[in-house]
Amino acid sequence: MRCLIIYKSVHHGNTEKIAEVMAEALNADIKKVEEVGKEEMQEYDIIGMGSGIFFGKHHRSLLEFVDSLPPMDEKRAFIFSTRGGTPTWLNHRALRKRLRKKGFRIIGEFSCKGYDTFGILKYIGGINKGRPDEKDMDKARKFARKISKIRGC
Ligand SMILES: Cc1cc2nc3c(=O)[nH]c(=O)nc-3n(C[C@H](O)[C@H](O)[C@H](O)COP(=O)(O)O)c2cc1C
């Protein structure tokens, strides 16, 4: 099984921490979204994609990357994110919809809180200070191990 993790982490590097932990647990290659060539996708059996959440969605670069892909014919994918506080069912909706439209089969989703200093939050020192923390990383590791056990991967 070959696995690739694609991520974008721009606010505080929160999602990068999660992406790295998952990559280690899955023995996956890991790349920032701008480093991935569309043709490379065919070399992998599972693709994980994640970023922080911005106005209720994944980072625009990730959404646009998925839009630019050719049909994926049931390739397995999982979604991850870090967030300030809005709910995951809402935050993952846009990426999930785009992945499905391209023919990906979604085999799991993971999200945890991340340090957030957007807008007026910076005047109070931000929210979710220290997140993702060790507990979050451990949950991410466990999630990745479950993904690696999926039959046929
Ligand atoms: C411009 C902006 C908009 C954001 N919008 C949301 C949002 O709608 N919902 C949410 O839960 N968090 C929101 N956040 C918080 C980020 O999703 C959170 O800090 C995330 O962990 C950032 O990940 P990163 O450090 O990997 O970029 C926003 C942050 C910024 C800077």
Side-chain angles (χ1 to χ4, degrees):
M1 174 194 83
R2 286 199 74 197
C3 181
L4 173 65
I5 291 188
I6 302 172
Y7 73 97
K8 183 82 179 179
S9 187
V10 294
H11 189 35
H12 286 293
N14 298 332
T15 316
E16 185 166 55
K17 290 183 192 152
I18 295 298
E20 283 170 353
V21 161
M22 287 184 174
E24 203 189 331
L26 277 163
N27 198 18
D29 290 343
I30 173 167
K31 293 189 178 191
K32 295 180 179 145
V33 67
E34 59 272 19
E35 296 169 348
V36 187
K38 285 176 223 166
E39 58 298 334
E40 272 181 81
M41 304 283 285
Q42 298 306 341
E43 296 167 25
Y44 294 93
D45 305 296
I46 298 186
I47 313 282
M49 289 194 200
S51 73
I53 296 299
F54 303 92
F55 309 109
K57 294 175 182 177
H58 279 81
H59 193 273
R60 190 155 43 125
S61 61
L62 210 53
L63 300 176
E64 287 174 358
F65 174 73
V66 174
D67 285 342
S68 76
L69 292 173
M72 282 293 147
D73 193 26
E74 292 281 305
K75 191 181 288 294
R76 283 162 285 196
F78 65 89
I79 298 173
F80 62 98
S81 67
T82 63
R83 66 187 194 277
T86 56
T88 303
W89 65 264
L90 172 78
N91 299 337
H92 284 194
R93 211 160 51 171
L95 181 58
R96 194 189 300 126
K97 193 172 157 198
R98 281 170 165 84
L99 286 169
R100 288 203 174 125
K101 197 171 164 197
K102 288 292 169 178
F104 284 96
R105 184 153 57 87
I106 295 164
I107 56 171
E109 300 191 27
F110 176 89
S111 184
C112 70
K113 296 268 175 80
Y115 183 43
D116 181 6
T117 55
F118 173 53
I120 56 162
L121 292 176
K122 66 173 166 284
Y123 301 112
I124 57 160
I127 55 169
N128 310 326
K129 236 182 196 159
R131 306 281 300 271
D133 57 16
E134 274 312 312
K135 260 190 183 167
D136 296 315
M137 312 273 235
D138 203 43
K139 282 184 187 159
R141 206 170 283 120
K142 285 186 178 134
F143 169 84
R145 287 196 189 123
K146 263 195 204 156
I147 291 283
S148 73
K149 283 188 188 129
I150 289 173
R151 214 164 65 89
C153 293

